[in-house]
Amino acid sequence: MGAMAPRPLVEVRDLQVSFVSREATVSAVNGVSFTVMPGEVLCIIGESGSGKTVTMRSLLRLHPPRRTVIRGHMRVGDHDILALSERAMNQVRGAVISMVFQEPMTALDPVYTIGDQIAETVIRHEGGSRRAAMARALELLNLVKVPSPERRLRAYPHELSGGLRQRAMIALALSCRPSLLLADEPTTALDATVQIQVLIMLRRLQEEFGMGVIFVTHDLGVAAQIADKVAVMYAGRIIEYGSVADVLLRPAHPYTLGLLSSTVHGQTRDAEIEAIPGSPPDLRALPPGCSFAPRCRFAVPPCTAAFPPTALAGLDHAASCLQIEAVRGAVPAHADA
Amino acid sequence: MNTEAQGAAAPMLDQPADRGGRAQPMLIAQGLKRYFPIRGGLLNRRVAEVKAVDDVSFTVLKGETLGVVGESGCGKSTLARLLMHLLVMDAGSLIFDGDPVGTEQGLSLRDLRRNLQMVFQDSYSSLNPRLPIEESIAYSPRVHGMERGQAKRIARELLQRVGLRPEYFGGRYPHELSGGQKQRVNIARALALNPRMLILDEAVSALDKSVEAQVLNLLGELKREFNLTYMFISHDLHVVQYISDRVMVMYLGQVVEFGPVDTIYAQPRHPYTAALLECRLVVDPAGRIDTPPLVGDPPNPINPPSGCRFRTRCPHAETVCERTVPALGAWNGNTAAHLVACHMAHPGSGHSRAAPAPVVH
């Protein structure tokens, strides 16, 4: 079996990222390991400050170099990300790995037309004439279903609606057929009616291109819509990992369970929502042991002694928790029968 | 009995008296309009206008939570600002608990704001960055003539009430707080005058889910304790379903459907409401949506479609939708509790899916 297993597209091992300033050192990511297979969609779920965006930006080395300490190992395709020269990294960005940001208005250049920006990327990585690059840009806008693409090619970002801008951003990210697409909350700023259109389109393009995708979101509904695998992050660590159905329907970590029960969907109106008490820990001074223990209703004394080891909760489903059995007992039975 | 339930030695301003009685709606808005001019050309003339709120009428009952939903640009935030008189309305009138607002005999703006307060989406920009948060909360009681020490005591009590320890947080500045904490401060600030109604404009939208749940629970407690009426504006249909008694659905500056929350969620009568509800994402990968319920973005409000504004995205649009603006009315002669602005719901409208016109005897 082992010999037959294909090689993962992305391999991250024990990634640690900290930001150093005069006042404090913020440990944003504290030992994250995961893999993404070719053609697989991994959703990283977490709240603000959980390290999900920092993890993703590390793959493109987008952090300010002098103030960031990155340790660990990251491989994407044949590229050892931390060993690449700045020049080689520039070749990887856009061609092998590309990224879609949350706010397309700040990610797109306001003084160039959409067509110019896509063509520039194509010429930069693949060469060829400007005319050919523009033809490719048109083809891409068609692919992301921008209506009247010829006109939109000559439009500036501010002339487009939020949904169209995000589509243009995706076209730009796909322009050099990357093998890994990073998407940082790409639909959070969009209306629900537009969000679902973009999610369905992303899923279709991902299958068409056979890309691996790492999708960062705080919205469990979005993860359910698009993910194959889900990693839940808390205080800079992945605390649960598994298939989307396992994690969302049969959570094994108390934090995942808490997130699910505090997400409003169809609760009775008279009952209070089961919120997670307290707030996330200060990343400048993380407590020893499990970072979630102070807010956890399942916590036992050993939880605060050392960070709990990763335990299997099923086939290809793992959680860093000593109380998996207790959490499992508390998961409400799903009415999917 | 229920006005001063906030406990021991609360020296708060008295809640303004209930003048109209229980059956009098807290707020009646009639024909509200606000057009934003677009200027351009050589002489900076008015070349077009954005019809942000276009003839909106509704009531908010005492003690209820009215949910307002719609996509960005549908005018829900402009509507909130019109109600607060933060924007001047081009047309329309407002009656607060039986008293017309802004007329000679009616309620002055100052009185309106004693009764009606608002919590905004952006928790940071709605606090003064140079004031410690307890000063921010004490500010409005001071403006309304309360002595400094007492205003501060109220501020500290409210901080305690919204779950922030005053001795620990009172002297802090807004930038030292997290998003959830800032929004708690904004809620405390809105309550400082002991108002009767709060407008919550996307008040929990920018918060993380676990914090959102905490703040929603807090809003529920405060509503009972302070005897409040809420107008809850949000784009999150799950949250609106949880918190609201009645729901108002807006599209391009107009109300398209209005009714009790359970009726609207179970049996939406407007195709836009139906599509919005279908766009709700569920936390179950088996419930994936494969075809988008609506295509395209909302049209530009500068130049809205003729007739029914939704017709360009509506799967059932016919010629009548292009020609006639559907009125907001009870559907198929049903009770007036559930209003809808769609030709399909109105008998004799000429739409092929509408019931025939009732026979007049």
Side-chain angles (χ1 to χ4, degrees):
Chain A
M1 267 256 308
M4 290 295 289
R7 181 165 173 251
L9 171 68
V10 182
E11 238 181 313
V12 173
R13 254 188 305 151
D14 200 27
L15 176 69
Q16 298 179 37
V17 184
S18 47
F19 299 109
V20 184
S21 70
R22 253 177 304 171
E23 294 91 47
T25 300
V26 178
S27 323
V29 176
N30 305 298
V32 158
S33 307
F34 62 88
T35 57
V36 180
M37 302 305 285
E40 186 176 77
V41 181
L42 171 73
C43 254
I44 304 181
I45 297 178
E47 298 185 277
S48 25
S50 62
K52 53 192 195 307
T53 301
V54 174
T55 301
M56 190 150 79
R57 286 178 164 244
S58 303
L59 281 165
L60 274 176
R61 284 200 355 219
L62 290 179
H63 299 303
R66 281 206 218 120
R67 280 174 286 143
T68 319
V69 181
I70 303 185
R71 285 200 207 87
H73 176 78
M74 289 185 287
R75 178 185 65 77
V76 177
D78 293 325
H79 306 279
D80 179 351
I81 299 295
L82 291 181
L84 291 178
S85 66
E86 196 49 42
R87 212 187 151 92
M89 194 63 220
N90 271 338
Q91 284 305 317
V92 168
R93 290 185 191 125
V96 181
I97 314 173
S98 62
M99 184 153 174
V100 178
F101 296 88
Q102 176 172 356
E103 197 16 88
M105 196 59 208
T106 51
L108 292 168
D109 193 324
V111 299
Y112 292 98
T113 62
I114 299 295
D116 282 339
Q117 297 188 48
I118 300 179
E120 184 196 357
T121 313
V122 174
I123 296 171
R124 169 81 175 67
H125 286 289
E126 296 178 355
S129 70
R130 197 185 130 79
R131 178 185 289 264
M134 275 305 210
R136 172 104 184 108
L138 183 65
E139 191 185 310
L140 283 158
L141 287 189
N142 263 318
L143 195 70
V144 296
K145 298 218 173 117
V146 168
S148 42
E150 290 86 358
R151 188 157 58 85
R152 285 340 188 318
L153 216 48
R154 292 188 302 273
Y156 290 91
H158 74 269
E159 297 175 304
L160 302 181
S161 69
L164 286 186
R165 269 203 292 271
Q166 197 55 287
R167 283 170 198 265
M169 177 89 230
I170 292 169
L172 178 61
L174 297 181
S175 57
C176 296
R177 302 176 189 85
S179 44
L180 176 65
L181 180 70
L182 307 177
D184 188 1
E185 308 243 14
T187 60
T188 307
L190 303 177
D191 279 313
T193 56
V194 181
Q195 161 169 290
I196 189 70
Q197 296 174 38
V198 171
L199 287 176
I200 292 171
M201 183 192 75
L202 265 177
R203 182 89 215 184
R204 180 177 56 79
L205 292 173
Q206 176 265 331
E207 280 162 12
E208 233 166 75
F209 281 58
M211 288 179 294
V213 176
I214 302 179
F215 195 108
V216 160
T217 182
H218 69 277
D219 189 329
L220 300 171
V222 169
Q225 180 70 29
I226 197 157
D228 295 315
K229 297 285 168 57
V230 170
V232 184
M233 283 191 77
Y234 187 78
R237 290 189 180 100
I238 292 179
I239 49 96
E240 182 163 0
Y241 172 89
S243 75
V244 59
D246 276 340
V247 174
L248 295 184
L249 301 181
R250 294 171 284 279
H253 195 283
Y255 176 63
T256 317
L257 178 65
L259 263 190
L260 279 162
S261 50
S262 57
T263 302
V264 184
H265 47 88
Q267 277 97 333
T268 46
R269 217 162 309 133
D270 310 319
E272 288 222 321
I273 310 163
E274 272 180 63
I276 308 175
S279 46
D282 187 346
L283 293 174
R284 286 169 296 191
L286 280 175
C290 173
S291 343
F292 187 62
R295 304 172 74 186
C296 180
R297 63 185 163 119
F298 300 96
V300 287
C303 293
T304 47
F307 188 75
T310 307
L312 281 183
L315 198 67
D316 204 19
H317 182 191
S320 301
C321 182
L322 299 173
Q323 292 281 70
I324 292 180
E325 289 311 312
V327 177
R328 275 296 168 74
V331 175
H334 262 270
D336 48 4
Chain B
M1 150 187 128
N2 37 18
T3 44
E4 283 294 322
Q6 61 270 28
M12 286 191 73
L13 290 167
D14 288 333
Q15 193 167 48
D18 186 344
R19 288 167 50 86
R22 282 180 50 140
Q24 172 71 35
M26 187 63 96
L27 188 74
I28 303 175
Q30 276 165 342
L32 300 189
K33 262 184 205 170
R34 172 71 199 199
Y35 296 171
F36 294 106
I38 295 173
R39 295 182 189 283
L42 196 58
L43 298 168
N44 207 25
R45 271 180 301 214
R46 196 180 177 115
V47 289
E49 51 202 5
V50 178
K51 297 179 175 175
V53 170
D54 196 5
D55 199 9
V56 168
S57 305
F58 62 95
T59 56
V60 185
L61 304 179
K62 274 184 188 150
E64 80 167 341
T65 299
L66 175 69
V68 181
V69 297
E71 291 169 287
S72 45
C74 74
K76 50 194 196 304
S77 289
T78 307
L79 179 65
R81 283 165 172 73
L82 288 181
L83 296 181
M84 283 305 294
H85 287 72
L86 295 174
L87 284 175
V88 179
M89 48 183 103
D90 292 337
S93 65
L94 215 59
I95 298 171
F96 192 91
D97 197 12
D99 291 321
V101 177
T103 59
E104 288 280 306
Q105 312 80 10
L107 218 54
S108 67
L109 265 192
R110 188 185 166 89
D111 289 337
L112 177 73
R113 289 185 181 145
R114 272 278 276 121
N115 282 286
L116 178 63
Q117 283 287 320
M118 180 157 169
V119 179
F120 299 84
Q121 172 170 17
D122 188 338
S123 58
Y124 183 71
S125 62
S126 46
L127 290 170
N128 186 336
R130 290 161 189 249
L131 282 188
I133 56 171
E134 62 179 20
E135 299 279 343
S136 273
I137 300 172
Y139 193 83
S140 44
R142 292 260 299 138
V143 168
H144 281 261
M146 191 180 275
E147 174 262 322
R148 191 186 189 88
Q150 200 187 347
K152 208 151 187 175
R153 274 203 301 283
I154 290 184
R156 297 175 75 90
E157 217 157 285
L158 281 168
L159 274 179
Q160 182 82 46
R161 187 58 202 85
V162 297
L164 300 173
R165 293 213 326 264
E167 63 277 13
Y168 191 60
F169 284 102
R172 293 204 189 180
Y173 289 87
H175 73 267
E176 298 174 289
L177 304 182
S178 73
Q181 289 165 344
K182 280 196 289 266
Q183 206 56 302
R184 285 170 192 269
V185 173
N186 277 310
I187 293 170
R189 185 197 53 71
L191 291 175
L193 288 177
N194 204 354
R196 300 173 64 202
M197 178 172 165
L198 284 190
I199 298 176
L200 302 151
D201 185 5
E202 303 271 12
V204 298
S205 306
L207 305 177
D208 275 321
K209 289 291 165 200
S210 67
V211 181
E212 179 186 86
Q214 293 173 357
V215 175
L216 284 175
N217 285 341
L218 174 69
L219 286 172
E221 288 163 25
L222 294 173
K223 179 164 187 267
R224 287 188 292 275
E225 190 174 313
F226 291 88
N227 193 24
L228 293 166
T229 299
Y230 286 159
M231 179 160 152
F232 190 89
I233 300 173
S234 177
H235 66 276
D236 186 330
L237 288 145
H238 290 295
V239 172
V240 166
Q241 181 179 25
Y242 172 74
I243 203 165
S244 309
D245 299 303
R246 294 194 301 157
V247 176
M248 177 157 97
V249 185
M250 291 185 69
Y251 189 74
L252 284 184
Q254 293 179 328
V255 179
V256 295
E257 191 159 4
F258 191 101
V261 61
D262 293 330
T263 322
I264 290 208
Y265 275 69
Q267 279 187 307
R269 289 288 153 183
H270 197 285
Y272 177 62
T273 315
L276 265 188
L277 289 170
E278 273 179 55
C279 288
R280 280 177 301 171
L281 298 176
V282 293
V283 188
D284 183 349
R288 275 190 189 168
I289 302 169
D290 294 322
T291 42
L294 274 185
V295 289
D297 294 1
N300 192 338
I302 296 172
N303 198 3
S306 67
C308 172
R309 293 188 176 181
F310 183 60
R311 70 174 166 84
T312 49
R313 300 167 86 192
C314 181
H316 310 297
E318 293 181 3
T319 35
V320 58
C321 306
E322 200 177 316
R323 293 203 185 117
T324 343
V325 181
L328 184 67
W331 61 276
N332 280 2
N334 204 293
T335 58
H338 185 181
L339 305 175
V340 56
C342 175
H343 288 309
M344 291 193 291
H346 301 316
S349 64
H351 195 286
S352 63
R353 286 168 168 255
V359 184
V360 184
H361 292 289

